Amino acid sequence: MKIGIIGSGHIGGTLTRRLSTLGHDVTVANSRGPQSLTDLAQEAGATAGDLEQAAQDAELMIVAVPLLAVPGLPAELFDGKVVVDANNYYPQRDGDIAELLDRSLSSSRWTAEHLKGARVVKAFNNIQAQHLMDNGRPAGTPDRIALPVAGDDAEAKQLVMQLVDSLGFDPVDAGTLDESWRQQPDTPVYGTDRDADGVRQGLAEARP
Ligand SMILES: NC(=O)c1ccc[n+]([C@@H]2O[C@H](COP(=O)([O-])OP(=O)(O)OC[C@H]3O[C@@H](n4cnc5c(N)ncnc54)[C@H](OP(=O)(O)O)[C@@H]3O)[C@@H](O)[C@H]2O)c1
């Protein structure tokens, strides 16, 4: 699959490496430009690009940037595309965002409102990058780590759930973007590497 990844840090860099290893055609972009990405691209077997090149013909995009960078991304590049939102809101890093501080919006709904037209799916936000790199296991492995996947577009969510499985994690349907607060920071499933039953239980037990 042709995949564009925005962000080349802990999460974007990890997904660049892992998805390239699986045989996907990955173009990765960051804020400093392709020349800053030659080492990562070479190591991973990916292509270094700018935002436009990452989006060009991409069947799936992944956004893994500090949340405060999202409003500055050119929304037209994501229009109509499946866009995985791996981001979290940390006020210390991202500043005060009223709708997120008062929890009237999930951070993925807030992202979808900025990236109008994108088919946003929340995934990979609740696992540490190093665990995403190292801890994938074949389907059926006891205690295989499960990852919640939330979104409003059933087809887009299915595609991302298949990707999660191919990376070695059990995908768990976590409902809609409005319900995706259940996998945000400070919830039972955040950073806790639960199996599928544990994730379902954690999502159900999450409290606003
Ligand atoms: N670290 C984890 O284990 C982890 C786990 C799950 C979810 N997350 C979430 O994933 C997101 C990324 O976290 P991270 O740890 O990967 O961060 P990071 O290591 O600091 O990397 C952030 C990346 O975003 C890029 N970026 C920033 N502004 C950009 C812009 N305007 N356009 C394009 N690229 C831009 C940066 O590019 P430059 O370097 O060129 O500025 C950098 O490559 C955050 O929302 C975080 O909460 C992190």
Side-chain angles (χ1 to χ4, degrees):
M1 183 162 43
K2 193 160 184 348
I3 297 176
I5 300 183
I6 311 301
S8 59
H10 293 95
I11 281 287
T14 296
L15 286 168
T16 297
R17 292 179 175 91
R18 293 245 24 231
L19 292 169
S20 298
T21 301
L22 288 179
H24 295 289
D25 177 2
V26 175
T27 299
V28 59
N30 64 5
S31 74
R32 285 167 293 150
Q35 70 289 347
S36 68
L37 289 165
T38 46
D39 288 352
L40 171 64
Q42 197 168 16
E43 179 206 321
T47 303
D50 56 23
L51 296 183
E52 287 73 16
Q53 289 164 331
Q56 181 81 42
D57 300 326
E59 298 159 79
L60 181 139
M61 297 196 66
I62 297 171
V63 179
V65 301
L67 200 67
L68 84 168
V70 167
L73 296 174
E76 63 276 11
L77 293 183
F78 303 86
D79 192 17
K81 292 190 187 291
V82 177
V83 176
V84 179
D85 168 25
N87 300 330
N88 293 299
Y89 176 50
Y90 281 102
Q92 316 87 296
R93 180 191 65 195
D94 300 316
D96 289 355
I97 301 175
E99 311 91 296
L100 302 184
L101 285 173
D102 71 11
R103 295 172 190 258
S104 55
L105 292 181
S106 68
S107 66
S108 280
R109 172 64 65 205
W110 181 86
T111 294
E113 291 192 353
H114 285 287
L115 304 182
K116 284 256 184 281
R119 303 161 71 191
V120 175
V121 177
K122 190 172 196 72
F124 305 117
N125 74 294
N126 73 313
I127 184 167
Q128 286 178 38
Q130 197 61 50
H131 295 191
L132 185 57
M133 189 72 204
D134 296 334
N135 295 349
R137 299 288 180 267
T141 304
D143 300 325
R144 192 187 200 211
I145 296 172
L147 300 182
V149 180
D152 298 343
D153 181 316
E155 192 185 64
K157 183 156 64 173
Q158 194 56 39
L159 183 67
V160 177
M161 289 180 77
Q162 285 167 7
L163 199 70
V164 166
D165 186 40
S166 71
L167 286 163
F169 302 92
D170 277 341
V172 170
D173 188 333
T176 64
L177 286 190
D178 286 333
E179 291 169 296
S180 65
W181 61 267
R182 292 178 182 276
Q183 66 194 73
Q184 288 181 179
D186 300 325
T187 61
V189 302
Y190 192 75
T192 50
D193 289 350
R194 294 175 171 217
D195 67 7
D197 285 344
V199 166
R200 284 187 205 96
Q201 188 182 350
L203 292 169
E205 288 174 354
R207 293 290 170 264

